[in-house]
Amino acid sequence: MIDSVETVSPSLLDAWLNVLGSFHPLIVHFPIALAIVAAMAMVWNWIWQHDGFGEFAFHCTWIAALASVFVSASGWFFAESNGSESNELFLHRWFGIGNSAGLIALAFMTSLVRSDSWPGLLKISRFASLLVAAGIGITAHFGGEMVWGEGQVTTPLSKALSVSWESIRAKNSEVATAPTTAAPTTTAPTTTPTTTAPTTTVPTTTAPTTPVAPVMPATTDAPKPIANTSINDVLRMSVAFAISATQTIPPASIPPATTPPATTPPADSSKSAVTPPATTPPVIPKDLEYNKNILPILEARCWDCHGKGVAKGGVAFDHVAELIVKEPLVKSKQIPIILVGKPASSAIMKAIQKPITAKGHMPPKGERLTAEQIALIDAWIQQGAKVVNP
């Protein structure tokens, strides 16, 4: 499949259209910057209540509109030459064409506003300028996902928003708990002097009625003067003691203590049942080859982003020979995709072994590679990363 794609020779027209498409990454940012600057200049004139759309915004809009036609055409031929098809490419292509049409319409509206031929068109052109700037931002977002992978902007943005929200909640909780600790310290000293002052004066009037209660402890020392009450008290105390003695028996029996041993046997049996499957290591051949052993794995998991002409992040496994490096560059900080004999230093192994919560894990969507598939890629790199007819 790969050889048939490489042997096709384009016609003369297709060859020059491919040259036109190759200019798309070089010139795509020029009309984007001009359109956004034109919208900012228009907003500046709007805030300071200047007349018209603004001379600077007028010229920037016209240059961006003319350049967007060339950028849209080069982008179309650039996608056709690579033969890639994806949802991000579809959205990026048609949003770009829509933005180009919007810029051309906006340029003509600014000309009419400048000639005062349509007085009510100024408000419409201002709104259209902001709308086109927003559309350009959306188009650029899809282009970034197509090159650098999905979630290049949204993933760090969502993490930053969640961290900011957690910090705000933590500060609010600290502010809410701070006054609760200070409140009891201020109220405690104020209530104690007010309550003690009246209580010390009132008991003097109720003193004649209270001597009945102190008779209870006095009967133990002198039971003879009051024989009738002491007998009743003794009987009551003996009955209460007997009842309390009988009530202490149930806590002494501890049947729940015998229940935990009943739960331990099944835990041991489950552990013994789980351990046998871990003792079956995968069988890895000694003569691994890319097209035979590794290419089927990549076609099933990685081909949508790194095959069929699509090269997100500059990685295309249908041209794997360009990704294999025998010795890393001394002054380069970039990790090679495949470093012969060193899978731990290869970017492909780092990406497929990352946890699903980490940034840059591969594949970003769908099922992860199995342990046997990862072991095959690891062994293939250790054995020299052999490729027959790359």
Side-chain angles (χ1 to χ4, degrees):
M1 179 183 69
I2 299 173
D3 295 337
S4 62
V5 173
E6 292 181 352
T7 55
V8 174
S9 58
S11 62
L12 180 62
L13 178 61
D14 292 336
W16 283 105
L17 290 178
N18 292 341
V19 174
L20 175 63
S22 64
F23 280 95
H24 181 73
L26 300 177
I27 61 175
V28 66
H29 300 96
F30 180 66
I32 291 175
L34 284 177
I36 294 176
V37 169
M40 295 173 62
M42 180 274 300
V43 172
W44 178 268
N45 292 331
W46 194 357
I47 292 174
W48 292 100
Q49 297 181 355
H50 294 301
D51 295 334
F53 194 79
E55 290 295 324
F56 180 75
F58 169 77
H59 293 293
C60 287
T61 302
W62 263 107
I63 298 174
L66 296 176
S68 66
V69 177
F70 183 72
V71 169
S72 298
S74 63
W76 185 282
F77 294 120
F78 183 67
E80 292 295 328
S81 63
N82 290 329
S84 58
E85 295 180 1
S86 63
N87 187 34
E88 290 85 359
L89 175 61
F90 177 81
L91 295 173
H92 178 71
R93 170 185 285 175
W94 291 108
F95 264 97
I97 293 174
N99 291 328
S100 178
L103 277 172
I104 294 173
L106 179 62
F108 281 104
M109 281 192 289
T110 56
S111 298
L112 294 176
V113 170
R114 193 180 185 189
S115 62
D116 293 332
S117 58
W118 193 347
L121 193 61
L122 178 59
K123 294 182 180 179
I124 299 176
S125 62
R126 287 173 175 174
F127 177 76
S129 178
L130 296 176
L131 188 63
V132 169
I136 289 174
I138 296 173
T139 308
H141 169 69
F142 289 127
E145 285 195 344
M146 196 167 51
V147 175
W148 301 106
E150 186 176 358
Q152 179 67 20
V153 177
T154 56
T155 300
L157 179 61
S158 62
K159 289 182 179 180
L161 291 176
S162 62
V163 171
S164 302
W165 176 250
E166 291 297 331
S167 63
I168 292 173
R169 290 182 60 185
K171 290 180 180 180
N172 292 337
S173 62
E174 291 177 359
V175 173
T177 54
T180 56
T181 56
T185 57
T186 56
T187 55
T190 57
T191 54
T192 49
T194 56
T195 54
T196 52
T199 52
T200 52
T201 56
V202 174
T204 56
T205 59
T206 58
T209 60
T210 53
V212 180
V215 176
M216 295 299 295
T219 55
T220 56
D221 297 334
K224 295 179 182 180
I226 310 173
N228 294 330
T229 56
S230 63
I231 292 172
N232 293 331
D233 293 335
V234 171
L235 291 174
R236 292 173 182 172
M237 292 174 64
S238 61
V239 172
F241 179 79
I243 294 173
S244 62
T246 56
Q247 289 178 348
T248 54
I249 294 174
S253 61
I254 310 174
T258 59
T259 54
T263 59
T264 53
D268 296 334
S269 62
S270 63
K271 290 180 181 179
S272 62
V274 174
T275 49
T279 59
T280 57
V283 179
I284 299 175
K286 295 182 180 180
D287 52 349
L288 294 174
E289 195 271 325
Y290 177 75
N291 291 331
K292 180 181 178 181
N293 306 105
I294 308 302
L295 183 59
I297 300 174
L298 300 179
E299 284 181 341
R301 295 289 188 271
C302 313
W303 219 244
D304 292 337
C305 300
H306 304 287
K308 299 183 298 184
V310 181
K312 286 189 176 181
V315 179
F317 290 122
D318 47 359
H319 302 283
V320 69
E322 300 175 1
L323 306 177
I324 299 175
V325 178
K326 294 184 178 180
E327 293 292 337
L329 298 176
V330 179
K331 297 183 180 180
S332 178
K333 296 182 181 180
Q334 187 176 4
I335 301 175
I337 305 299
I338 300 171
L339 183 59
V340 176
K342 297 180 180 180
S345 301
S346 302
I348 184 175
M349 294 301 301
K350 294 179 181 293
I352 62 178
Q353 289 178 333
K354 283 184 178 182
I356 196 170
T357 56
K359 182 182 179 181
H361 69 276
M362 295 294 167
K365 296 185 294 185
E367 298 180 359
R368 303 298 303 276
L369 270 67
T370 63
E372 183 178 359
Q373 292 172 338
I374 294 175
L376 282 174
I377 298 175
D378 185 281
W380 171 68
I381 297 175
Q382 285 184 355
Q383 295 175 11
K386 298 178 182 178
V387 180
V388 178
N389 296 325

